[in-house]
Amino acid sequence: NNRNITNMANMATMQTWQSAKMGQRARFRVAEKPVMAPSRTRVITRANHKGGSSRRDQRARSVMEPMTEGWTEALSAVGKLKQRKDRESVTTLDLSLGEEECAKVMRKAAERGVGFFFLKGHDISQELIDDVLDANSRFFDLDPYIKDRFRVKSPFQEPLGYKDSQKDGITADKESQSAPCFREYLNVGRRRNVDDIHRENGTKNYQQQDTYGEEEGQRLVWLDESCDLALTRSSSLVVDDIKHKCEEYYEEAFKLSRKVHRIVALSLGLSADDFDRHFMRPLDFMLLNNYPKEKRDPTKGLLGLGAHCDFAFTTLLLTDGTKGLQVCKDKTKPAQEREWVDVPTHEPGTFVINFGDALETLSNGKCISVMHRVANTSNKKRKSVAFFCEPSADAKIVPVVQPGEKQKYETIETYAKYMGRKFASIGQDNYKT
């Protein structure tokens, strides 16, 4: 592939040079020149020439300037070609082709150990995608005192709310990180989710504050409603618009996540609705992420988000296209020996999806949960929106073992207790029983 790209660059440059040659009375044929970046030493200058540039200078520039422009254009074309080839190297699921076709593509990729994909052909409009990314930017641009209104007021509101990983000392992978993550985030979920988690987990001292109906349980919780200090009218309008755009996106992302679950089930040889029994009262969450623009060296343990695997079935990730997401080639290796690969940029409107730990357990290892991290290698600010549609708090996840196989994973007795252990493993101890 690299050789083909180089050959195409040479051809593009040769054609450009030949075009630049036309109309010039140079004594050499451009087509016979070797393909290389123009060197400044080939342009003769006479700094002490009182009359300005000589005819020889002018003749050289008349040939070299178009050649330099041609080389720049060729490099740009090669860059775009490489980006396209990088995108093509990632398995893409196109929902417009139907569930069965997507399941076939996913199954073949999973057999090769692939655990992340691009997703297109969905029903979420580009306008809605742009709106939620805009809401993301506007939220994190708010004054710190406004963002702090979205923090938890009680440990029993976890895992919802706003956090600044640097200020709050949040580290995803203590083994490989030398500092807390360089990330702000806001976790939004339904009111019933936190009650379901802490009740089923048996969290110490937890008591549900009040009862509510199904409609109230479905309402998204933002945590700023209980703040005593009122916002100015202008700030209040901004916050309300952010919430409105996020809530619209949330419902569409939930529907899309459930479509992905149907494809996963089919890829495992199950019926499309087989996972429904695990999602009677799903624990769905939306995570707005903001990574500062400062470039940092990941080899020194400085990361936007440290190495980790997601807990649940699948993650639906929307990004602004800025590079930074990296996946580990082999998560079984020690932290110092892991190799990291950049996830290539993708076309607007395309999602990144990846398998999580619970799905790896249910599939008995057929769907590998992907270890990933975020490293700022671009010196640009990066934003993303992750949507997690997780099983019900009381869901029991039993590995699907095919004839002739051995069970490789232990049964997850209840998903809430499993979540509590996972959060505790990264230093969040609000789920002690």
Side-chain angles (χ1 to χ4, degrees):
N1 286 338
N2 290 335
R3 184 178 298 173
N4 291 337
I5 291 174
T6 302
N7 290 338
M8 292 184 72
N10 288 342
M11 291 174 64
T13 307
M14 183 69 75
Q15 291 171 357
T16 306
W17 285 9
Q18 288 174 335
S19 297
K21 168 69 173 62
M22 294 182 65
Q24 305 295 332
R25 293 185 177 181
R27 287 178 295 177
F28 56 88
R29 292 178 62 201
V30 177
E32 294 174 352
K33 283 293 180 183
V35 178
M36 62 182 70
S39 171
R40 291 184 180 180
T41 59
R42 295 176 63 190
V43 181
I44 303 172
T45 60
R46 296 183 181 180
N48 297 325
H49 191 281
K50 294 182 179 180
S53 300
S54 68
R55 290 183 179 178
R56 187 176 182 183
D57 294 338
Q58 294 172 357
R59 186 166 60 248
R61 279 198 299 273
S62 69
V63 174
M64 294 303 297
E65 286 176 1
M67 290 164 66
T68 303
E69 292 175 2
W71 179 256
T72 303
E73 291 173 3
L75 287 179
S76 176
V78 170
K80 292 178 181 178
L81 177 63
K82 186 177 185 304
Q83 287 180 2
R84 190 179 72 189
K85 286 188 173 292
D86 285 343
R87 287 197 295 267
E88 291 173 352
S89 68
V90 178
T91 300
T92 298
L93 304 176
D94 186 347
L95 292 182
S96 67
L97 300 179
E99 290 180 343
E100 292 287 351
E101 180 61 28
C102 287
K104 187 188 303 181
V105 172
M106 179 178 283
R107 180 168 54 252
K108 289 182 179 179
E111 289 172 354
R112 303 195 309 270
V114 174
F116 82 97
F117 309 82
F118 285 160
L119 180 70
K120 65 179 185 179
H122 50 79
D123 296 329
I124 300 182
S125 70
Q126 188 61 48
E127 180 181 4
L128 187 53
I129 287 172
D130 293 340
D131 279 350
V132 75
L133 289 173
D134 175 67
N136 181 310
S137 296
R138 292 166 69 197
F139 176 82
F140 292 108
D141 286 341
L142 292 171
D143 289 334
Y145 84 91
I146 299 179
K147 289 186 286 189
D148 284 340
R149 292 167 61 90
F150 293 83
R151 287 182 176 274
V152 296
K153 316 302 187 291
S154 158
F156 304 125
Q157 292 175 329
E158 294 281 0
L160 301 179
Y162 166 76
K163 288 185 175 64
D164 182 330
S165 298
Q166 278 289 298
K167 290 181 180 179
D168 299 326
I170 299 173
T171 302
D173 183 18
K174 294 180 180 179
E175 187 178 4
S176 63
Q177 288 182 249
S178 59
C181 301
F182 292 89
R183 176 181 72 139
E184 295 177 276
Y185 64 92
L186 174 66
N187 196 357
V188 180
R190 304 186 196 277
R191 181 175 181 180
R192 63 171 172 74
N193 289 355
V194 290
D195 287 325
D196 286 0
I197 291 171
H198 291 289
R199 182 177 57 251
E200 190 65 37
N201 181 52
T203 304
K204 188 176 181 181
N205 297 325
Y206 168 74
Q207 287 185 337
Q208 186 169 323
Q209 297 301 310
D210 54 11
T211 58
Y212 45 81
E214 181 63 26
E215 184 176 347
E216 175 64 16
Q218 290 288 101
R219 181 177 64 84
L220 297 187
V221 176
W222 293 92
L223 300 181
D224 67 322
E225 300 96 336
S226 59
C227 293
D228 296 330
L229 183 63
L231 293 174
T232 64
R233 177 170 173 76
S234 60
S235 295
S236 181
L237 289 173
V238 170
V239 169
D240 287 346
D241 189 55
I242 290 171
K243 290 181 180 180
H244 175 70
K245 289 179 176 178
C246 287
E247 287 170 355
E248 279 193 317
Y249 174 81
Y250 192 107
E251 297 305 329
E252 294 304 313
F254 173 80
K255 295 174 187 175
L256 182 55
S257 293
R258 297 296 285 123
K259 288 180 181 179
V260 172
H261 291 164
R262 291 175 59 86
I263 292 170
V264 177
L266 289 171
S267 76
L268 293 172
L270 307 172
S271 63
D273 60 357
D274 187 81
F275 292 168
D276 289 358
R277 56 199 169 95
H278 300 305
F279 291 85
M280 303 303 291
R281 286 171 62 92
L283 304 174
D284 38 278
F285 298 95
M286 180 176 70
L287 203 62
L288 305 183
N289 297 300
N290 179 55
Y291 301 93
K293 70 176 183 178
E294 290 78 9
K295 187 174 182 178
R296 293 181 174 87
D297 188 352
T299 63
K300 295 181 180 179
L302 303 175
L303 293 158
L305 179 58
H308 67 286
C309 294
D310 292 340
F311 302 166
F313 268 46
T314 57
T315 301
L316 184 69
L317 181 69
L318 176 66
T319 80
D320 63 355
T322 303
K323 282 188 175 182
L325 179 62
Q326 299 178 331
V327 296
C328 182
K329 282 187 173 182
D330 184 355
K331 66 180 180 181
T332 64
K333 289 186 176 181
Q336 300 78 10
E337 299 177 17
R338 291 172 187 156
E339 295 181 69
W340 296 93
V341 180
D342 289 320
V343 174
T345 57
H346 49 75
E347 296 175 353
T350 300
F351 288 89
V352 178
I353 61 172
N354 62 267
F355 298 148
D357 290 345
L359 180 57
E360 181 171 334
T361 295
L362 181 138
S363 68
N364 203 33
K366 294 181 181 67
C367 298
I368 299 298
S369 178
V370 180
M371 178 173 283
H372 52 285
R373 69 182 189 181
V374 176
N376 189 332
T377 58
S378 65
N379 205 33
K380 294 180 181 178
K381 187 175 180 179
R382 182 177 183 272
K383 57 190 175 186
S384 67
V385 182
F387 192 88
F388 307 94
C389 188
E390 309 193 29
S392 307
D394 61 353
K396 183 177 182 178
I397 311 298
V398 181
V400 176
V401 181
Q402 301 294 344
E405 292 182 344
K406 292 184 178 179
Q407 182 171 327
K408 303 175 184 177
Y409 299 80
E410 294 182 2
T411 295
I412 297 174
E413 294 297 335
T414 63
Y415 191 77
K417 289 183 180 295
Y418 161 83
M419 279 188 72
R421 291 194 300 272
K422 287 289 188 177
F423 277 118
S425 70
I426 57 175
Q428 297 186 30
D429 296 327
N430 296 311
Y431 302 87
K432 290 181 178 179
T433 57

